[in-house]
Every structure is written in C-alpha cells, then in structure tokens.
C-alpha cells in the first residue's frame, strides 16, 4: 500500500453527531477513504475525560460507529474501529506524556475552554492530557493527513512538535502529520450564537442540530436561527455570521456553491432561505437516521465490522509501538 495514511477519531459521548461534526469532519473522512489508507475510530478513551455511565458509553459507542457507516464509511475501503479495542493507544500515550512539557500542554486552548466550563474541582487530569492521547492516536498509524475541524488545529501542531522531538532524540520513527481542514466547513456555528462554534455543549440546545433528532425538531431550529436586522442574503462571515453559516450549511449539503445561492435568493427574505434550508436538512437527516438504525438493528454485522477494524488497526499500531519501545531502551 503506498497510498498516504489518514487517521481521525470522533467521540461517542453525545449519542448523536451534530451538523458541525458531520460537515467539519465526517464528510472529509468519507472523501479521504478514496485517496488514502484511512483509519477512523470512535474515541471512547477520550470520552472518559468526563464522567460516563458505562451502559450509556457502550451504547453510544455503537451509535457512533453506526453513524459513521451511515455517513458513507465503507469497511472495505477504510479501517473503522473502537479506540479502546487497540491497547497500544494508551501505551503510546504514556510515552508521549513523558515527552510533553507541562507548559506546552497548558497552552492547549481546548483544555482551557473545557476546564473553565467545568471548574477546577471537576476537571480531570485525563482532560488535561487528552491532547497527548491524541498525539499517540495519530502517530501510531504514521498518519500523513488528519481530517478535523478548525478547533483541532492546535492539537495537530502539538503532534508534529512531539513527533519531531522524538525523531530528533531517538532517531527517525514517526511521520509528521498535517491537519486536513476544509476551509469552508472548518467551523460550523451555533444557530443561536453564530459567533460560537456549534458544539455538543452548546449553551442552548436550540443552536445545535443533532443528526439523530426528530427531523421536525431540526427544521424548527433552522427556522428560528439567529440572523441579523439586514435583509440581504449575502455571505459575509464578519458582519452577517448567521446568514453566512446558513449559506455554508445549505451549499455543502446540496453540493452547490454559496455564490449560486446568493443569486437564487436575490430579492428574497431570510424566511425563504430558512424554510428551504429546513427542507434540505430534513431531506438529508431522514435517510441518515434510517441507515443508522439499520446498522443498529443488525448488531452481528456491526460487531464484525468493528472486530475486523480493530484487528487491522492493531497490526499497524503494534508495529509502531514495538519500534518506539525499542528506540527508547525498553
Ligand atoms: P465536539 O467539538 O462537539 O465536542 P468532537 O470533539 O467529538 O465534538 O469533534 C469531532 C470532530 O468534529 C472534530 O474533528 C472536530 O474538529 C469536528 N467539529 C466539532 N464541532 C465542529 C464545528 N462546529 N464545525 C466544524 N467541525 C467541528
Ligand atoms: Na471538538
């Protein structure tokens, strides 16, 4: 195999993926399985950086895998697995913890944001070091490309820094990865606060489109999206973030361009745009939900896909870990 490697992971915690996860990350997973030797995982080890109910975590891990398949991942063309099924992630993470500076880890903005929301007493050391687990996730597969949203850029830079450090100290071992970030969809915004990213921890659930929610609920959220007092439908991320976000979502889900939409909606109001986009979202999520349910209704097939994925992933991960241990003197 001389195709470049791709690696990425998504958390199972919320149950449903949201529209930001899909447009920012999962869509790129699907695209890269054509051009890359791609590894995608449900990162259940990352999920436990905040408290999880074991039964829910187990169920949500399956729901996440089912959604990845429903979104178009093909187990014949990529390796799909669950992070905890491959023990090398935790093993390499320890090595990487010992190569990361405390100050360096303290500069991670995702940690600062998340820990500020949780408060110091509820923030775990695991949350602090989760970017370093991510370093291990990526380096284990010698990944060239890491498809992610904008919020992950800093973690990919950390990964490069640590890979270079290791290679410099112990000899060439790790490939330096690059973030694969598609500019247009790198940051999908909250529908109620279009200056903040759409997130599973959005301040108000009305700002967040969950792909597995009742489509009627999602349609209503689109129709009540915050825009501005102007009436012109034009992409202007700075002055018209709400409308611009809706145009991005619309263009990407329908495979059209923002320019084409601006033309189509010339002289029309925000109401028309929102009504049509609500229909677009309903038409997209309806078959997505059905396909997800089909995978969940066939647990043997899902288990077989994940078992085969873990086996393929482990073969690669074990080789990298053995080489790493050897270089370090273990
Ligand atoms: P969340 O950010 O909601 O907690 P995850 O951390 O599991 O979700 O993110 C999974 C992937 O989705 C990551 O690659 C992340 O960059 C991407 N992502 C998350 N939110 C957005 C968003 N609003 N816009 C674009 N990409 C996003
Ligand atoms: Na994220």
């Amino acid at each position: 195999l001389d195709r470049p490697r791709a690696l990425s992971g998504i958390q199972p915690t919320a149950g449903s993926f949201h529209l930001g996860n899909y447009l920012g990350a999962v869509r790129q997973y699907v695209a890269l399985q054509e051009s890359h030797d791609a590894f995608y995982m449900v990162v259940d080890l990352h999920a436990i950086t905040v408290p999880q109910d074991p039964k829910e975590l187990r169920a949500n891990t399956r729901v996440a895998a089912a959604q990845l398949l429903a979104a178009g991942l093909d187990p014949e063309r990529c390796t799909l697995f669950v992070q905890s099924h491959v023990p090398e992630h935790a093993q390499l993470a320890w090595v990487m913890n010992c190569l990361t500076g405390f100050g360096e880890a303290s500069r991670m903005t995702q940690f600062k944001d998340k820990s500020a929301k949780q408060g110091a007493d509820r923030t775990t050391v695991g949350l602090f070091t989760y970017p370093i687990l991510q370093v291990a996730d990526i380096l284990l597969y010698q990944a060239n490309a890491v498809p992610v949203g904008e919020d992950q850029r800093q973690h990919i830079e950390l990964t490069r820094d640590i890979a270079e450090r290791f290679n410099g100290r112990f000899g060439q071992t790790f490939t330096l990865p690059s973030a694969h970030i598609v500019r247009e969809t790198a940051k999908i915004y909250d529908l109620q606060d279009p200056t903040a990213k759409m997130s599973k921890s959005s301040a108000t659930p009305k700002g967040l489109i969950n792909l597995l929610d009742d489509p009627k609920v999602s349609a209503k959220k689109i129709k009540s999206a915050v825009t501005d007092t102007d009436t012109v439908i034009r992409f202007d991320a700075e002055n018209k973030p709400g409308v611009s976000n809706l145009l991005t979502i619309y263009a990407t889900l329908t495979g059209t361009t923002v320019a084409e939409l601006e033309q189509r909606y010339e002289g029309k109001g925000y109401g028309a745009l929102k009504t049509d986009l609500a229909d677009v979202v309903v038409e997209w999520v309806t078959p997505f939900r059905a396909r997800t349910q089909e995978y969940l209704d066939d647990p043997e097939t899902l288990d077989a896909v994940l078992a085969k994925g873990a086996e393929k992933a482990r073969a690669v991960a074990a080789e990298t870990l053995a080489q790493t241990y050897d270089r370090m003197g273990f």
Side-chain angles (χ1 to χ4, degrees):
L1 276 180
D2 34 31
R3 287 191 299 171
R5 283 261 170 80
L7 175 286
S8 201
I10 188 156
Q11 294 206 42
T13 19
S16 177
F17 295 164
H18 59 72
L19 201 52
N21 294 145
Y22 175 68
L23 296 176
V26 177
R27 248 181 123 252
Q28 277 62 253
Y29 300 179
V30 177
L32 289 188
Q33 68 182 343
E34 309 303 332
S35 51
H36 286 63
D37 181 21
F39 291 77
Y40 300 120
M41 57 183 177
V42 180
V43 292
D44 53 350
L45 295 177
H46 285 280
I48 64 164
T49 54
V50 296
Q52 299 296 332
D53 173 73
K55 253 166 77 187
E56 260 174 50
L57 179 60
R58 189 169 291 129
N60 284 340
T61 297
R62 303 179 68 82
V63 175
Q67 286 177 95
L68 289 171
L69 292 166
L73 288 190
D74 174 357
E76 299 298 318
R77 281 181 295 173
C78 71
T79 303
L80 174 62
F81 64 103
V82 174
Q83 187 185 28
S84 66
H85 296 178
V86 180
E88 285 80 2
H89 289 264
Q91 291 176 284
L92 189 66
W94 176 251
V95 172
M96 297 304 157
N97 268 299
C98 296
L99 282 164
T100 307
F102 184 79
E104 192 174 33
S106 305
R107 285 193 288 277
M108 295 299 116
T109 59
Q110 288 275 302
F111 171 75
K112 286 194 235 176
D113 292 351
K114 290 186 182 184
S115 60
K117 273 186 204 159
Q118 293 175 9
D121 287 342
R122 289 201 297 143
T123 296
T124 65
V125 175
L127 186 71
F128 181 64
T129 63
Y130 103 91
I132 306 166
L133 176 57
Q134 220 178 310
V135 169
D137 295 340
I138 296 165
L139 297 184
L140 266 181
Y141 298 93
Q142 307 286 3
N144 304 96
V146 187
V148 283
E150 182 62 42
D151 58 358
Q152 295 300 318
R153 189 186 290 280
Q154 194 186 26
H155 295 164
I156 314 306
E157 281 165 13
L158 176 71
T159 308
R160 290 176 68 93
D161 289 345
I162 294 179
E164 275 193 298
R165 189 171 305 156
F166 189 100
N167 290 346
R169 229 180 264 177
F170 302 102
Q172 177 59 40
T173 306
F174 295 114
T175 303
L176 300 196
S178 301
H180 176 88
I181 298 177
V182 174
R183 187 177 48 82
E184 290 80 0
T185 51
K187 190 169 176 183
I188 300 298
Y189 294 88
D190 187 289
L191 297 175
Q192 289 300 311
D193 175 9
T195 60
K197 77 159 183 167
M198 185 180 286
S199 160
K200 58 178 172 278
S201 49
S202 281
T204 148
K206 274 178 72 188
L208 172 69
I209 300 286
N210 281 314
L211 303 183
L212 296 181
D213 277 355
D214 181 339
K216 286 197 211 91
V217 172
S218 297
K220 233 174 130 179
K221 290 181 184 177
I222 297 280
K223 287 181 191 165
S224 58
V226 166
T227 43
D228 53 56
T229 53
D230 188 24
T231 53
V232 188
I233 295 174
R234 180 168 47 80
F235 190 94
D236 177 347
E238 198 164 316
N239 301 305
K240 299 166 74 68
V243 173
S244 301
N245 190 39
L246 297 179
L247 286 169
T248 299
I249 295 169
Y250 198 145
T252 315
L253 286 181
T254 58
T256 174
T257 63
V258 165
E260 201 174 79
L261 291 174
E262 286 174 336
Q263 220 170 41
R264 195 188 305 168
Y265 286 95
E266 207 185 309
K268 295 186 180 157
Y270 292 165
L273 177 73
K274 289 181 190 174
T275 304
D276 291 352
L277 178 56
D279 289 343
V280 164
V281 168
V282 169
E283 268 170 51
W284 193 89
V285 296
T286 302
F288 174 82
R289 294 171 85 225
R291 284 196 300 274
T292 302
Q293 195 54 53
E294 278 171 34
Y295 287 110
L296 291 172
D297 288 343
D298 182 3
E300 285 86 29
T301 302
L302 192 58
D303 285 342
V305 165
L306 296 175
K308 189 171 159 230
E311 197 184 317
K312 278 165 70 189
R314 259 203 107 168
V316 176
E319 192 184 320
T320 307
L321 185 74
Q323 204 176 21
T324 309
Y325 272 14
D326 183 55
R327 296 263 151 90
M328 295 195 79
F330 293 148

